[in-house]
Amino acid sequence: MKKLLFTLITFLFAGSLLSAQTTVDLRPDMDAALGIHDGTNTSNFNYGNVTHGSAYCIPAASGSGENKNRALLHFDLSQFAPGTQIQSATLDLHAFGPSGVYNGHTGTLNSAVIQPVTNAWQEMVVTWNSQPSYSSLNNVSLAASTNPLQDYLGINVTAMVQNMIDNPSTNFGMGLMLQQEVITNLLLFASRENPDSALHPMLHVTTCKSQFVLVATDDAALGTHDGQGTSGNNYSVAPQCAAYSVTATNGTASGNNNRALMHFDLSSINPTANVTSAKLALYARGPNGNAAGHIGTANECMIARVTQPWSANTVTWDNQPTMTTTDAAILAQSTNPLQDYLNIDVTAMVQGMVDGSLTNDGFMLRLVNEIENNGLIFQSLDCGNPAQFPTLTVEVSCGDVTAVEQPMAALHTARFYPNPAVHALKLQLDLATAGNVTVQLHDLSGRLVGQVDAGMQAPGMQTLELDELVQGKTPGIYLARVMTGNTVMDSKLVLQNP
């Protein structure tokens, strides 16, 4: 789609600055290992206080049969009120390391699955025989390990945790087990009883973004000019996004008409979100052709919802899509030729586009009455000035987070730039308190691929040079994590070829 790369970059960068969100870090309030060992009658033993929470299938000590292990995890999510929309939930599991005769993760079939638990259990009571049942709904797969000491960080359990928040009475935690319980395969992770607290499982729950600033993904002008046969022309690269009616060159009154189309990608907004505000910003183009800017005394326009798909590269006046005036926004008569319209209320239309009750085929800009010598002329995606591209700001209600008993965050904001990056990277921090700062880089599988220990940093604004974090890395999308004190902040980071 036109301007797709620029829009993606702009969205990632703007989102990192404008997302009003909170990340809550939770350790398990319960976890337990479940073990069965052929020939030793351990299937009724409780392992609620062991230092690992693992999934494995290994030969029995007797030489015949097999020993199996699964793990249970539970996190207290009661601080999130039902209906609270979350942006993400990621789980960190740290390698347990050498255990018995095994150096750590072992086997070529040690891929695992994390599944929601569907009935209650008690940490110091549960056994292999009394283990709860599991559901395949929103389960998450863990790929086979690539080395014995591999940490699995940033495991995406968003859908699972969202369901637990929405249905607190059925939050019985998570179960970890091998996808194929066959000898000899192991994933060995530390539990909350491990003496090294840095290895304890950790769930990072980020409440939803309350604000999305979206640049149009496509726009196009629609023009017809009497006597010139232009109604079949495509004007997808016109620098203006305008609605006007003027005299044709052959003298025909209102013979030249123009309308405009624009489209915004709303897929980053949770479909169940309650849209509290959606405001469209259009910036005056100023002089355009013979016009000094907005013209006329009857140039009232509308932003109407388009009801058919269209392509920016093929749409014309003749094949323009249909639109509906239901919930259309009205742009009042301009007061000067250079007037920006920055708070056009399109909330009702956007709510329907987000929740799927209305199709998202974009918007049309047109005069309410196409009367000669009237027009509103705005900048398009091809105007050459990104600061004046059509922009949609959407605010949503994230629900309530109650009784969050967390110490004051040590970190107010963290921003990586440039983003996308090539060889160089900087991190701008606003620290509430002095603290040791660690920056990690993870690939999309959760694998740690780089780390910089920046040491003790003073309170206030700080800028760190992090070139070593990105140099030599494969181009792509990564998760950049900043950790200091009790605070963890994650950002998307795009690495590009030189």
Side-chain angles (χ1 to χ4, degrees):
M1 297 172 74
K2 187 174 70 169
K3 305 297 188 301
L4 180 58
L5 178 59
F6 177 86
T7 304
L8 173 62
I9 295 169
T10 301
F11 175 72
L12 290 175
F13 186 75
S16 66
L17 294 177
L18 297 173
S19 58
Q21 57 190 35
T22 299
T23 297
V24 178
D25 302 323
L26 300 171
R27 298 181 189 273
D29 60 344
M30 293 193 301
D31 65 6
L34 305 171
I36 181 173
H37 308 84
D38 277 1
T40 54
N41 299 318
T42 60
S43 58
N44 284 315
F45 285 14
N46 171 260
Y47 297 100
N49 58 0
V50 297
T51 57
H52 66 86
S54 303
Y56 62 72
C57 184
I58 60 177
S62 62
S64 62
E66 58 189 16
N67 292 351
K68 293 181 183 178
N69 205 93
R70 299 174 180 175
L72 298 173
L73 289 164
H74 184 273
F75 296 89
D76 182 1
L77 301 173
S78 61
Q79 60 189 267
F80 300 95
T84 298
Q85 296 298 315
I86 62 171
Q87 179 69 15
S88 66
T90 58
L91 178 64
D92 292 345
L93 297 177
H94 294 270
F96 183 62
S99 177
V101 299
Y102 299 100
N103 291 326
H105 309 317
T106 304
T108 59
L109 294 175
N110 66 355
S111 59
V113 62
I114 298 175
Q115 297 181 294
V117 175
T118 57
N119 53 299
W121 53 278
Q122 297 179 51
E123 182 178 38
M124 303 309 294
V125 175
V126 68
T127 68
W128 179 274
N129 282 347
S130 68
Q131 66 183 290
S133 55
Y134 309 95
S135 169
S136 61
L137 178 67
N138 300 321
N139 63 13
V140 176
S141 296
L142 304 185
S145 63
T146 56
N147 69 75
L149 301 180
Q150 178 183 346
D151 294 329
Y152 284 68
L153 306 179
I155 302 166
N156 186 352
V157 291
T158 304
M160 188 185 305
V161 172
Q162 181 69 73
N163 189 59
M164 293 172 177
I165 289 173
D166 291 340
N167 303 281
S169 64
T170 60
N171 173 20
F172 301 116
M174 309 169 182
L176 168 70
M177 63 199 71
L178 291 176
Q179 291 189 9
Q180 300 182 60
E181 291 179 319
V182 294
I183 298 173
T184 295
N185 291 280
L186 305 85
L187 282 184
L188 301 176
F189 297 112
S191 74
R192 76 186 190 115
E193 282 79 19
N194 193 282
D196 186 352
S197 61
L199 300 182
H200 292 180
M202 182 75 77
L203 181 67
H204 309 283
V205 182
T206 301
T207 56
C208 76
K209 290 182 180 178
S210 64
Q211 187 181 78
F212 296 78
V213 180
L214 306 173
V215 176
T217 51
D218 279 309
D219 64 5
L222 306 172
T224 179
H225 311 82
D226 273 7
Q228 298 183 37
T230 59
S231 61
N233 290 357
N234 172 260
Y235 297 103
S236 64
V237 295
Q240 80 276 357
C241 179
Y244 60 74
S245 181
V246 297
T247 305
T249 55
N250 65 4
T252 302
S254 299
N256 288 356
N257 288 332
N258 206 93
R259 299 171 183 172
L261 298 171
M262 63 196 80
H263 181 272
F264 296 86
D265 182 0
L266 303 174
S267 61
S268 57
I269 304 175
N270 192 313
T272 63
N274 175 33
V275 177
T276 58
S277 173
K279 298 294 180 66
L280 177 63
L282 298 177
Y283 296 86
R285 177 159 178 79
N288 189 75
N290 294 325
H294 307 318
I295 59 173
T297 58
N299 64 4
E300 184 181 59
C301 283
M302 71 171 70
I303 296 288
R305 184 174 63 86
V306 176
T307 55
Q308 287 180 318
W310 52 277
S311 168
N313 296 322
T314 59
V315 69
T316 69
W317 180 274
D318 287 341
N319 68 13
Q320 64 183 284
T322 56
M323 58 90 179
T324 176
T325 59
T326 302
D327 295 324
I330 301 300
L331 283 61
Q333 167 71 36
S334 63
T335 56
N336 69 75
L338 303 179
Q339 180 181 347
D340 295 330
Y341 286 69
L342 303 182
N343 291 290
I344 305 167
D345 189 351
V346 291
T347 304
M349 289 184 282
V350 170
Q351 176 67 76
M353 294 174 181
V354 167
D355 65 29
S357 62
L358 303 174
T359 59
N360 178 16
D361 294 312
F363 302 100
M364 177 181 288
L365 169 69
R366 57 159 292 171
L367 288 169
V368 173
N369 298 296
E370 291 176 322
I371 301 173
E372 188 177 11
N373 295 327
N374 286 282
L376 292 181
I377 304 175
F378 300 106
Q379 301 279 36
S380 77
L381 284 172
D382 296 276
C383 72
N385 183 357
Q388 294 188 334
F389 288 172
T391 303
L392 181 65
T393 300
V394 182
E395 295 185 356
V396 302
S397 173
C398 291
D400 299 319
V401 181
T402 60
V404 180
E405 296 182 0
Q406 299 287 333
M408 181 183 69
L411 179 62
H412 288 317
T413 60
R415 180 172 72 90
F416 292 92
Y417 67 96
N419 191 358
V422 181
H423 295 302
L425 182 67
K426 293 182 179 181
L427 170 62
Q428 186 179 69
L429 299 169
D430 183 5
L431 294 167
T433 60
N436 285 298
V437 175
T438 299
V439 184
Q440 295 180 337
L441 191 67
H442 300 267
D443 64 20
L444 292 185
S445 70
R447 183 170 61 97
L448 179 66
V449 296
Q451 179 168 312
V452 173
D453 295 312
M456 182 65 67
Q457 300 294 322
M461 296 297 295
Q462 310 289 339
T463 300
L464 305 181
E465 302 280 349
L466 298 174
D467 297 355
E468 63 184 285
L469 195 65
V470 297
Q471 289 174 350
K473 301 299 188 298
T474 303
I477 299 176
Y478 292 80
L479 175 75
R481 174 167 293 172
V482 183
M483 299 182 293
T484 181
N486 68 297
T487 309
V488 176
M489 284 193 178
D490 293 337
S491 302
K492 280 184 179 177
L493 180 65
V494 179
L495 302 186
Q496 290 185 329
N497 284 313

